[in-house]
Amino acid sequence: MIDDVNRSNMIVLATDFGLHGPYTGQMRAAIMAKAPDVPVIDLFADLPAGNSRAAAYLLAAYTLHLPTACVLICVVDPGVGSARRALVLQLDGRWFVGPDNGLFEMVIRRCQVSAEVHEITWRPAYLSESFHGRDIFAPIAARIALGENPRDNPDFRPVDLESVQHTDWPDDLQEVVYLDHYGNAITGLRAVCLSGDAELQIDSCRAPRAMTFSSVSPGEVFCYENSNGLMEIAISQGNARAKLGLCIGDTVTPAPKGQP
């Protein structure tokens, strides 16, 4: 079913494919082949590799500022080629396309108004068992961006929302979920869920709370609420990843200011 009123104004890519090598380019080419007039935006090409749980907390934070009239292709898919389902979700007006492996848990959980899930039953004439991003998710996202609706469409099957959820995952993840190219460590903790002066402990290092980089002296370790509402550990004019030896998955513990 085509609904011209619901055409999307952009397709947004969030994957762990990286920018080196052919994968992101092949995704963009597959989208452009079907929807050449729809802009394609790269949000993430470096989500935590193979780590759908860490990526779930990033997606929930970083999609809040995107327009509702967009389609997101989200692919962190270590189970590609297995029995895991391919999904299309409509959450608060945004469309999400990707694998059924918990990647959408936090955007589902924080959905404010409406949530709808369909399994993608369509398959192309040629399907690689190792690249569903290119062969399934990209073409489907393009079709949806052009106004196609999964409802009453034989290429899709309705799915109970509860069947795709991972309810045992915490609302906030006390771990490093992303390391940016500055060496800053983004955590799965929302600042709004902590006290205003809460500090973060990671291994033996305590990171006091500050407003931003200019609030502390050069070389000082601190934590702050980043522009997407997640707590982040950084070093003013330095690289926290290198200096503190940080890795994705490192445990981060919030503590009241001054508590030992």
Side-chain angles (χ1 to χ4, degrees):
M1 182 190 303
I2 300 296
D3 185 351
D4 288 333
V5 174
N6 290 322
R7 290 172 67 97
S8 300
N9 59 13
M10 68 178 71
I11 294 172
V12 179
L13 286 172
T15 77
D16 62 352
F17 295 161
L19 293 176
H20 298 290
Y23 308 116
T24 297
Q26 287 180 288
M27 287 281 289
R28 293 174 66 89
I31 295 165
M32 297 294 286
K34 290 189 176 294
D37 297 325
V38 179
V40 180
I41 308 299
D42 295 307
L43 179 62
F44 282 102
D46 59 348
L47 286 171
N51 190 337
S52 60
R53 189 175 81 146
Y57 293 86
L58 290 166
L59 287 180
Y62 282 80
T63 57
L64 283 176
H65 300 287
L66 295 174
T68 54
C70 71
V71 181
L72 290 101
I73 307 177
C74 307
V75 189
V76 176
D77 196 14
V80 62
S82 70
R84 70 96 183 93
R85 295 176 293 190
L87 300 178
V88 172
L89 304 89
Q90 189 175 36
L91 304 170
D92 288 343
R94 297 182 184 90
W95 291 99
F96 294 81
V97 182
D100 179 14
N101 60 9
L103 189 56
F104 303 115
E105 171 61 25
M106 292 302 137
V107 288
I108 293 172
R109 198 178 296 187
R110 296 172 193 172
C111 180
Q112 297 293 312
V113 181
S114 61
E116 186 176 323
V117 187
H118 287 80
E119 180 182 0
I120 304 166
T121 56
W122 170 85
R123 295 294 183 268
Y126 172 78
L127 174 62
S128 165
E129 291 303 325
S130 61
F131 201 177
H132 289 186
R134 178 195 66 193
D135 297 339
I136 297 177
F137 301 135
I140 289 295
R143 287 166 55 179
I144 291 173
L146 293 175
E148 190 167 337
N149 196 312
R151 296 191 196 100
D152 303 318
N153 187 319
D155 288 342
F156 305 88
R157 178 168 54 217
V159 170
D160 288 335
L161 185 65
E162 293 79 7
S163 73
V164 306
Q165 291 197 260
H166 290 241
T167 55
D168 57 324
W169 291 5
D171 287 335
D172 290 83
L173 188 63
Q174 294 185 187
E175 294 180 8
V176 174
V177 296
Y178 186 80
L179 292 156
D180 70 18
H181 75 281
Y182 296 108
N184 304 324
I186 300 175
T187 77
L189 291 164
R190 290 171 293 173
V192 71
C193 296
L194 303 178
S195 64
D197 61 354
E199 302 177 345
L200 295 182
Q201 182 83 26
I202 185 163
D203 291 329
S204 61
C205 178
R206 176 66 67 94
R209 187 75 166 264
M211 183 68 68
T212 187
F213 292 82
S214 60
S215 305
V216 300
S217 301
E220 186 175 341
V221 178
F222 70 104
C223 68
Y224 73 108
E225 177 182 355
N226 75 10
S227 60
N228 291 276
L230 295 177
M231 291 300 296
E232 189 164 323
I233 297 170
I235 293 178
S236 179
Q237 299 182 34
N239 187 311
R241 177 180 190 171
K243 184 171 182 178
L244 304 178
L246 302 180
C247 297
I248 290 172
D250 283 349
T251 299
V252 178
T253 306
K257 182 178 180 180
Q259 177 177 300

